[in-house]
Amino acid sequence: MDTKHQFYYFCICVAVGFFSGIAYEVFSLIRAVFGCPRGKCRVLGIGLDIAFFVVLLLITTTTAFVFRFPAFRVYMWAGYAVGLILYSKSLHRMVAFFQNICYNRIAKRIEKTKTRRKTLKKEGREYDAG
């Protein structure tokens, strides 16, 4: 067992865990675009979860191959978990904050458009999106 490189391997696993959180944000964005958080498309949600785990499997396997990790060690999986927790407690909060701002602005714009269309329809005029 190569004990002198264990901390190095652990740090790599933490980084991979952190970046796997970023990868999940991509799948989460796709899920949000199609309305899966509200339960409208369970099949797509399940498919996206499976796709994420396949991507995660490829990332961890490639990392283990490139950096020549030793055989399975528990500290490696702990490193992945620590990296994911670090991501969820830091960068994820910022992403969620900006996502919320964008959502609110888009929702207000859509509501204004709907109100404008209703007003113009009552007046008997045609709606011009420009």
Side-chain angles (χ1 to χ4, degrees):
M1 183 160 133
D2 187 17
T3 57
K4 63 181 176 181
H5 292 109
Q6 285 183 356
F7 184 72
Y8 171 72
Y9 295 140
F10 178 77
C11 290
I12 292 171
C13 291
V14 169
V16 169
F18 188 86
F19 289 113
S20 68
I22 294 171
Y24 189 75
E25 286 294 332
V26 173
F27 289 95
S28 177
L29 179 64
I30 294 169
R31 184 184 299 241
V33 167
F34 289 104
C36 291
R38 294 181 293 271
K40 291 183 180 178
C41 52
R42 287 185 84 156
V43 174
L44 181 63
I46 292 169
L48 287 172
D49 285 342
I50 291 170
F52 169 71
F53 284 111
V54 168
V55 167
L56 187 60
L57 174 71
L58 291 172
I59 290 171
T60 55
T61 304
T62 304
T63 304
F65 179 73
V66 168
F67 291 102
R68 298 178 186 204
F69 285 176
F72 172 76
R73 302 281 188 255
V74 174
Y75 70 84
M76 292 177 184
W77 293 104
Y80 296 138
V82 168
L84 190 59
I85 290 169
L86 286 174
Y87 169 77
S88 68
K89 296 298 180 185
S90 62
L91 190 60
H92 174 71
R93 290 179 184 231
M94 289 185 277
V95 169
F97 175 75
F98 287 116
Q99 181 181 4
N100 201 7
I101 289 173
C102 292
Y103 174 80
N104 290 335
R105 287 185 181 178
I106 291 170
K108 284 181 184 178
R109 178 73 178 193
I110 290 171
E111 191 60 37
K112 276 185 175 181
T113 303
K114 286 181 181 179
T115 305
R116 179 78 175 143
R117 283 186 180 173
K118 286 181 184 178
T119 304
L120 290 175
K121 190 175 183 179
K122 286 181 182 179
E123 294 174 0
R125 297 189 313 192
E126 189 68 31
Y127 176 74
D128 181 22

